[in-house]
Amino acid sequence: MKKVKVFAPGSIGNVGSGFDVFGLALDGLGDILEVKESSNGKLNILKIEGDDGISTDPDKNIVTVGAKALLKEVGSDQGYDFIIKKGVLSGSGLGSSGSSATAGVFAINELLGNPYTREELLPFAAIGEKVASFIPHYDNVAPSMLGGFTVVRSDDPLEILQVDIPENLHLALVRPNVMIKTKEAKKMLGETMLISNAVHQFGNIAGLIIGMHRNDIPLIGRSVEDKLAEPVRSKLIPNYNIAKEAALNSGAAGFNISGSGPAMFAICDGKVVTENVIEALREVYQDDEKANYYISKSDLLGTRRID
Amino acid sequence: MKKVKVFAPGSIGNVGSGFDVFGLALDGLGDILEVKESSNGKLNILKIEGDDGISTDPDKNIVTVGAKALLKEVGSDQGYDFIIKKGVLSGSGLGSSGSSATAGVFAINELLGNPYTREELLPFAAIGEKVASFIPHYDNVAPSMLGGFTVVRSDDPLEILQVDIPENLHLALVRPNVMIKTKEAKKMLGETMLISNAVHQFGNIAGLIIGMHRNDIPLIGRSVEDKLAEPVRSKLIPNYNIAKEAALNSGAAGFNISGSGPAMFAICDGKVVTENVIEALREVYQDDEKANYYISKSDLLGTRRID
């Protein structure tokens, strides 16, 4: 019986200004998935570790829904057993669903002898990710699959662009212990935005890409400013404004919500600053005993085998 | 009596996706301005060549309004005589007002002994440009002043970023003989846009900047796609869709409206393609005897003395 063990990094979706478009893979934070051929011709979730809130029904679980779509496409009726180790909590805003979706299709593709490239796997991962959000979108699955910083230039036809990241760019992350579901967070935004706000966003999106190319971390930091989701979603996050101010006062170049939150990220130039920012954030959330803190750089490898 | 003669290039505002944010200076197309000290302590417009529709009232002319703002700031009561040679027709969408505004403040700054840098002059140019549009904005004055491709990352505080352009990027331009005033064109757009359209725009804005960095002209061409102004403003331009199709079928990498139109630009890879595109556009507008056609690269120098 063939088997495989893969790691899929979590990610920051949106990265502030790039709503539904930018994504950044996170180093040292992600899902581990073991998949083994089974003889019963079905997809079976044997175990989920690290997150109690996830369905083991293969028709409702992100991992198996994506895997099933891929198996259907290649016309395989092989069964598989799945063991899922969640390193990214669902509803955290750290790309949990993207990580799971990516791990599932990547593992199956490996077991099938790699008929598809990573890029070609993205639509199947997006089908899995759809379980967690309204429509298939790519701002988490793309960085999770490919690593680094990704841009969804177009989702139909799909065109993902990768952008190099300054070597010294670090992320300070905090996840307070509240849960925000992407579906609900999307609904809150309504369907339109002010053109004047869109224009601000256009400038910041361009600024962020230029900052990446110039290795200009202060420019990247200024450019994560967001006029679309942040004003609405920040209200769901306890002490958001206090946390932002504390991070910026401690030397962060920029601060915003990761995906639909509640996790937040700070753009930092170097490890020392990052540690100072984490220290400041710990103080803000000192009463939240279940809050998590991470220091991360970008994961440049994307989803890969670890067996 | 001190005098100066300056050239200020015209420009493509918006460049498709980058509404109010992107601008590209045009080679070989622009205003020439002669300014001479006068003894009557006033700003006098002696002559305007090349455009009949422009006011010679110094309080209503873009050139002198910007110049006056600069003179006020430095506390000068020196008078000046202006001779304006319009190389860019007003209401063409080719940055006519930006070109005039820039020429005016640049010339006065020269005559004052250059107290300000080009970047510092931009707010004064924007005050002049305000005569032609609702609010001071920078997507035409920035490329006209600085040359090349510019991004208004922020207008308050003002932050303009410059991006290198592929050496081989050429522009095929056509201006059919209809006039569109920026003020009216802005009103037509309303105040909001669909978030789904904004997300498309975000991807294209990032794609265009990445294309510039990668010297990837096809990517730049795909990324000038616009969901905000083009659907509305294209209706004001005769045969817009036919012209766009003709340009793309003749090898253009992308096509859109220059500023608020009616001029249109095609992104082309090399001179031969550009000539083919112009040929195709001439056919579309063969009944418009007053239509203009230009082949241009980006003007990399911006506004400068030519005396």
Side-chain angles (χ1 to χ4, degrees):
Chain A
M1 293 295 197
K2 283 198 279 185
K3 61 179 185 176
V4 69
K5 188 174 179 180
V6 307
F7 172 79
S11 57
I12 298 173
N14 301 345
V15 196
S17 47
F19 184 79
D20 273 3
V21 163
F22 289 165
L24 188 149
L26 290 169
D27 189 34
L29 197 69
D31 286 3
I32 291 169
L33 177 67
E34 294 180 59
V35 187
K36 200 167 68 175
E37 288 181 356
S38 81
S39 52
N40 74 350
K42 290 180 181 169
L43 304 189
N44 318 293
I45 298 173
L46 303 186
K47 196 160 65 170
I48 300 175
E49 294 174 15
D51 196 329
D52 298 333
I54 296 177
S55 173
T56 55
D57 178 345
D59 290 323
K60 291 179 182 161
N61 186 292
I62 292 165
V63 174
T64 38
V65 168
K68 194 172 270 190
L70 178 57
L71 288 163
K72 192 180 168 193
E73 180 71 17
V74 298
S76 164
D77 54 7
Q78 173 67 48
Y80 294 97
D81 292 339
F82 294 79
I83 296 173
I84 302 167
K85 294 177 189 172
K86 293 294 296 174
V88 191
L89 272 183
S90 67
S92 65
L94 293 168
S96 169
S97 54
S99 177
S100 292
T102 305
V105 299
F106 187 91
I108 295 296
N109 191 54
E110 284 284 325
L111 290 167
L112 293 171
N114 287 307
Y116 293 100
T117 64
R118 283 166 186 260
E119 285 79 5
E120 288 166 348
L121 289 175
L122 289 172
F124 301 105
I127 290 169
E129 222 265 347
K130 196 178 165 182
V131 173
S133 49
F134 280 123
I135 43 163
H137 62 99
Y138 294 90
D139 58 335
N140 286 115
V141 296
S144 195
M145 181 70 83
L146 304 171
F149 185 88
T150 55
V151 176
V152 186
R153 195 199 70 80
S154 163
D155 56 5
D156 186 24
L158 184 61
E159 182 178 1
I160 306 289
L161 303 168
Q162 286 186 279
V163 176
D164 287 343
I165 296 172
E167 170 61 28
N168 219 29
L169 194 151
H170 289 65
L171 290 317
L173 298 147
V174 54
R175 186 200 65 84
N177 189 37
V178 291
M179 197 182 270
I180 297 174
K181 286 288 182 193
T182 307
K183 274 187 189 174
E184 268 91 77
K186 290 243 174 215
K187 271 187 206 159
M188 284 180 64
L189 298 180
E191 293 196 338
T192 61
M193 74 183 295
L194 286 172
I195 291 174
S196 56
N197 283 341
V199 169
H200 273 274
Q201 209 90 351
F202 298 166
N204 283 326
I205 285 167
L208 195 142
I209 300 289
I210 295 168
M212 291 288 185
H213 283 285
R214 289 187 185 170
N215 288 316
D216 184 338
I217 294 175
L219 173 55
I220 294 167
R222 288 195 295 283
S223 301
V224 301
E225 196 200 336
D226 170 38
K227 298 267 186 181
L228 172 48
E230 187 191 23
V232 176
R233 291 182 179 169
S234 60
K235 291 174 191 149
L236 303 177
I237 302 172
N239 295 320
Y240 181 79
N241 292 325
I242 295 167
K244 184 173 186 172
E245 206 185 324
L248 295 175
N249 286 340
S250 307
F255 186 92
N256 220 300
I257 302 166
S258 179
S260 46
M264 296 154 262
F265 68 94
I267 300 281
C268 301
D269 190 349
K271 206 172 173 199
V272 175
V273 172
T274 319
E275 284 164 353
N276 292 340
V277 170
I278 288 288
E279 215 41 56
L281 292 171
R282 277 188 193 278
E283 211 159 300
V284 174
Y285 293 105
Q286 57 186 318
D287 294 337
D288 182 347
E289 284 172 15
K290 290 185 172 172
N292 301 115
Y293 304 88
Y294 309 96
I295 289 183
S296 182
K297 292 183 77 172
S298 185
D299 179 300
L300 301 177
L301 300 174
T303 301
R304 65 262 192 189
R305 288 184 75 142
I306 54 167
D307 48 8
Chain B
M1 292 296 197
K2 282 199 277 186
K3 61 180 184 175
V4 69
K5 189 173 179 180
V6 307
F7 172 78
S11 58
I12 297 172
N14 301 346
V15 197
S17 46
F19 184 80
D20 274 3
V21 163
F22 288 165
L24 188 148
L26 290 168
D27 190 32
L29 197 70
D31 287 2
I32 290 169
L33 177 68
E34 293 179 60
V35 186
K36 202 166 70 175
E37 289 181 354
S38 80
S39 50
N40 75 349
K42 290 181 180 168
L43 304 188
N44 319 292
I45 297 173
L46 303 186
K47 196 159 67 171
I48 301 176
E49 294 174 16
D51 197 328
D52 297 334
I54 296 177
S55 172
T56 55
D57 177 344
D59 290 324
K60 291 178 182 164
N61 186 291
I62 293 165
V63 174
T64 38
V65 168
K68 194 173 271 188
L70 177 58
L71 288 164
K72 192 180 167 196
E73 180 72 15
V74 299
S76 165
D77 53 7
Q78 173 67 47
Y80 294 97
D81 291 340
F82 294 80
I83 297 174
I84 303 167
K85 293 178 188 172
K86 292 295 296 175
V88 192
L89 272 183
S90 66
S92 66
L94 293 167
S96 169
S97 54
S99 178
S100 291
T102 305
V105 298
F106 187 91
I108 295 296
N109 191 53
E110 284 284 325
L111 290 166
L112 293 171
N114 289 305
Y116 292 101
T117 64
R118 283 166 186 262
E119 286 78 7
E120 288 167 348
L121 289 175
L122 288 171
F124 301 104
I127 289 169
E129 222 264 349
K130 196 178 165 182
V131 174
S133 50
F134 280 122
I135 41 162
H137 62 98
Y138 293 89
D139 57 335
N140 285 116
V141 295
S144 195
M145 181 71 83
L146 305 171
F149 185 87
T150 55
V151 176
V152 186
R153 194 200 69 82
S154 163
D155 58 5
D156 186 24
L158 183 61
E159 182 178 2
I160 305 289
L161 303 169
Q162 287 187 278
V163 176
D164 287 343
I165 297 172
E167 170 61 30
N168 218 29
L169 194 151
H170 288 65
L171 301 143
L173 297 147
V174 54
R175 185 201 64 86
N177 189 35
V178 291
M179 197 182 268
I180 298 173
K181 287 287 183 194
T182 308
K183 273 186 189 174
E184 268 90 76
K186 289 242 174 215
K187 273 186 206 159
M188 285 178 63
L189 298 179
E191 293 196 337
T192 61
M193 73 184 295
L194 286 172
I195 291 174
S196 57
N197 283 341
V199 169
H200 274 274
Q201 209 90 351
F202 298 166
N204 283 324
I205 285 167
L208 195 142
I209 300 290
I210 295 168
M212 292 287 184
H213 281 285
R214 290 186 185 172
N215 287 315
D216 185 338
I217 294 176
L219 173 54
I220 294 168
R222 289 196 294 283
S223 301
V224 300
E225 197 199 337
D226 170 38
K227 298 266 187 183
L228 172 48
E230 187 191 22
V232 177
R233 292 182 178 169
S234 60
K235 291 176 190 147
L236 302 177
I237 301 172
N239 294 320
Y240 181 81
N241 291 325
I242 296 168
K244 183 172 184 171
E245 206 185 323
L248 295 174
N249 286 340
S250 307
F255 186 92
N256 220 299
I257 303 166
S258 179
S260 46
M264 296 154 264
F265 68 93
I267 299 283
C268 300
D269 191 349
K271 207 173 173 197
V272 174
V273 171
T274 318
E275 284 163 353
N276 292 340
V277 170
I278 289 287
E279 215 42 57
L281 292 171
R282 276 187 194 280
E283 211 160 296
V284 175
Y285 292 105
Q286 55 185 316
D287 294 336
D288 183 347
E289 285 172 13
K290 290 187 173 170
N292 302 116
Y293 303 88
Y294 309 95
I295 289 183
S296 183
K297 293 182 77 174
S298 185
D299 179 299
L300 301 178
L301 300 174
T303 301
R304 65 262 193 187
R305 288 184 76 141
I306 54 167
D307 48 9

